[in-house]
Amino acid sequence: MARRLQERRLVVASHNPGKVAEMRDLLGGHVAEIVSAGDLGLPEPEETGTSFAENAALKARAAAKGAGLPALADDSGLVVPALGGAPGIYSARWAGEGRDFGRAMERVQRELGTSADRRAWFVCALALAWPDGHCEIVEGRVDGVLVWPPRGTRGFGYDPMFLPAGRDQTFGEMAPEEKHAISHRADAFRKLTAACFEG
C-alpha cells in the first residue's frame, strides 16, 4: 500500500523553472503549497543513478532531507532505440552547461544520421520522498518519432523534435494543456495521484 501525502507543503526538487511550472499545473488542487528546491536555495545533488527511477529518488530524498518536508522529484529524458537508448538519463547533460537544447537536438539528429529508425519515447520517473527516507516511485512513458527540423517553440528540452504517436503536432507546437493530457509526465502523475494523493 502506497503512503499517502498528508502534509500541506511540498517541495518540487528542481531548479528548472519550466519543469517546476509544469509540475505545479499537474499537481493543481492536490497540495496547498508548493515551493521549489531553487526557491529554498537547496543544492542540486549529483545524479549518480543508472536509471531514471534511481536519479528521481536521489533528488527527492536530498530535497526532503534538506527542507524537512516531503519532496517530489522527476527524472525524465528522451530514449532513442537507434542510439542504443541515448541520450536517456543523460538527456539534460547533452545540452551542456548552458542547457542549450538546440545543440542537444542537433546532436541527436547528427548521431541518427541516415537511420530509418526514428522511433523515440520520453520516460518520466516521479519520486515522492519524506524526511524519514520513505519514497514512492512511479514511471510514465509516451511514444513517438523524431522529426527534423524541429517544430514549435513551446515546451522545453527536446519537445520541438518529438512527434507523439497519432498526432500531427510536436510537443513544441502543442498548447500546454494538450501536451499535459498525453505526456510522459502526465502519465506518471496519474499513477502517483492515484497512489498517493486520492482517497
Side-chain angles (χ1 to χ4, degrees):
M1 185 73 183
R3 184 187 286 190
R4 305 264 173 193
L5 184 77
Q6 309 288 345
E7 294 81 357
R8 292 179 52 78
R9 291 184 85 200
L10 177 71
V11 179
V12 171
S14 177
H15 290 68
N16 175 333
K19 191 178 278 190
V20 171
E22 197 168 293
M23 288 171 86
R24 267 206 176 99
D25 286 349
L26 288 159
L27 275 171
H30 292 296
V31 183
E33 189 187 344
I34 294 166
V35 290
S36 77
D39 294 338
L40 296 174
L42 297 174
E44 290 187 84
E46 201 179 335
E47 294 179 30
T48 53
T50 57
S51 67
F52 293 113
E54 281 179 23
N55 282 331
L58 199 141
K59 290 186 278 192
R61 285 193 170 111
K65 193 175 173 189
L69 292 165
L72 179 66
D74 103 316
D75 197 55
S76 50
L78 182 69
V79 177
V80 184
L83 301 182
I89 60 168
Y90 303 108
S91 292
R93 284 173 234 183
W94 276 35
E97 284 295 310
R99 299 269 200 228
D100 182 350
F101 279 97
R103 199 175 77 183
M105 288 187 282
E106 281 169 12
R107 180 174 170 189
V108 170
Q109 176 64 13
R110 188 170 63 247
E111 296 202 9
L112 273 174
T114 57
S115 173
D117 182 2
R118 298 191 63 88
R119 288 175 304 136
W121 53 83
F122 275 121
V123 173
C124 171
L126 286 176
L128 178 60
W130 282 261
D132 66 4
H134 182 85
C135 194
E136 298 284 347
I137 302 170
V138 296
E139 267 194 25
R141 171 173 159 166
V142 60
D143 289 80
V145 293
L146 300 176
V147 298
W148 197 260
R151 297 178 355 214
T153 55
R154 290 170 149 169
F156 57 91
Y158 298 88
D159 284 357
M161 75 180 302
F162 183 79
L163 183 67
R167 301 292 174 130
D168 55 11
Q169 284 186 317
T170 68
F171 271 175
E173 294 171 301
M174 281 183 187
E177 55 275 14
E178 198 179 345
K179 178 190 167 184
H180 291 343
I182 62 167
S183 77
H184 50 307
R185 200 163 281 119
D187 184 33
F189 262 95
R190 275 190 290 273
K191 293 171 182 172
L192 186 74
T193 298
C196 300
F197 293 108
E198 288 179 348

